[in-house]
Amino acid sequence: MSPKKLKPQYLGVIRREKRKSPPRVQPRFNISRPGMVLLKGFVKPEDQIGMVSMCRQPGPGGFYEPSFKNGAKLNLWMMSLGKNWDPALRSYGPTRLFDGAQAPTIPDAFKMIAQTANSTASEFPQINPDVCIVNYYTNSGKLGLHQDKDESKSSLAKGLPFISISIGDTAEFLFGDTRDKDQATKINLESGDVLILGGESRLLFHGVSHVKTNTAPSWLKEEMSIRPGRVNLTFRQY
Ligand code: SIN
Ligand code: MN
């Protein structure tokens, strides 16, 4: 993907990384739970850099600090691509209420990466993503345990998966059968990891307890240097 030309120093780093690392066998973890697949380090470094740089491009519909219905902040920055998701109304629409901005389209390059991950985890049906919610967490960012259940009835009934891509600093990610964080399982989501939740796990409770400062890969740090933290993109079919 080439939203802008990669700076030569990145290409050098990526080539060096490739020379150092043994041939990649795609690591994959099922986390012993039907409907949940974690593809470790799935997104290539150049694609991670490309995704971050595209998310940075300012324009209408860009990042804002959303609130719930009760006025409480979500502790992250968000933008919606494809359709706008409103966390206060818990619904999707073409524009967002507070500034009237239309949701920007999902870049084809983003869709391609999500769909490649989707087909790699072949137990899931293939989705055609029409929504991508991008969250940006600073190092004090977090997200309480919740279910993703605002998509269409048919999408949820079919258990169509959503595909979650993590870039930047590592998150401690929680998941479980209830909203109780003490009973939740904790895993690390690192830069390049793809988590897919579908089928029986489509309505799993999940959240981010914290983001670990200064844990992004060194080759990504320069791209993230102005705003260190974590970017998460979830792709869904409404
Ligand atoms: C979300 O549940 O919307 C995002 C989860 C994450 O940031 O990993
Ligand atoms: Mn969610």
Side-chain angles (χ1 to χ4, degrees):
M1 101 189 258
S2 51
K4 65 173 192 193
K5 253 190 148 73
L6 288 182
K7 293 177 195 149
Q9 68 266 35
Y10 292 144
L11 294 173
V13 170
I14 290 164
R15 276 193 216 109
R16 264 199 310 283
E17 288 290 314
K18 278 188 180 152
R19 271 204 303 274
K20 269 196 296 195
S21 43
R24 268 189 1 153
V25 176
Q26 192 60 62
R28 174 196 166 98
F29 296 91
N30 285 303
I31 329 180
S32 66
R33 182 167 193 127
M36 185 171 192
V37 165
L38 176 58
L39 301 171
K40 286 297 288 178
F42 184 85
V43 183
K44 296 187 195 106
E46 57 267 39
D47 286 342
Q48 294 182 49
I49 290 169
M51 286 178 115
V52 168
S53 82
M54 273 176 119
C55 288
R56 282 253 171 96
Q57 284 163 24
F63 284 110
Y64 73 106
E65 273 187 290
S67 306
F68 293 113
K69 202 173 179 175
N70 64 7
K73 291 266 183 231
L74 263 76
N75 289 308
L76 50 77
W77 293 73
M78 192 176 88
M79 72 172 160
S80 298
L81 309 177
K83 294 182 199 299
N84 179 61
W85 180 64
D86 186 326
L89 300 176
R90 303 215 54 126
S91 65
Y92 288 96
T95 54
R96 56 191 194 190
L97 292 182
F98 73 94
D99 64 356
Q102 187 138 18
T105 51
I106 309 175
D108 285 342
F110 285 22
K111 271 198 200 176
M112 194 116 73
I113 294 164
Q115 286 184 304
T116 308
N118 192 172
S119 57
T120 299
S122 55
E123 59 269 66
F124 295 110
Q126 192 73 23
I127 64 162
N128 182 18
D130 52 6
V131 180
C132 171
I133 298 177
V134 187
N135 289 338
Y136 166 66
Y137 300 79
T138 64
N139 289 116
S140 58
K142 57 186 176 178
L143 178 62
L145 282 160
H146 65 279
Q147 294 169 296
D148 288 10
K149 55 178 183 187
D150 297 331
E151 292 70 43
S152 71
K153 281 202 177 101
S154 97
S155 179
L156 294 173
K158 287 182 198 148
L160 292 186
F162 67 88
I163 294 139
S164 158
I165 295 180
S166 295
I167 304 177
D169 285 333
T170 301
E172 185 179 82
F173 181 85
L174 307 183
F175 63 90
D177 295 312
T178 69
R179 206 180 286 278
D180 182 353
K181 64 177 187 317
D182 296 328
Q183 289 188 20
T185 304
K186 295 179 184 143
I187 54 171
N188 282 336
L189 291 183
E190 296 170 300
S191 202
D193 289 354
V194 180
L195 179 69
I196 308 182
L197 290 178
E200 289 173 50
S201 292
R202 180 61 178 76
L203 292 178
L204 198 67
F205 284 89
H206 61 277
V208 170
S209 55
H210 65 279
V211 171
K212 302 182 181 188
T213 306
N214 215 6
T215 49
S218 51
W219 45 261
L220 190 62
K221 278 193 184 139
E222 190 179 331
E223 188 64 35
M224 308 263 319
S225 61
I226 320 159
R227 285 180 177 270
R230 170 176 184 260
V231 177
N232 174 262
L233 305 96
T234 55
F235 295 83
R236 304 123 195 262
Q237 181 174 315
Y238 175 77

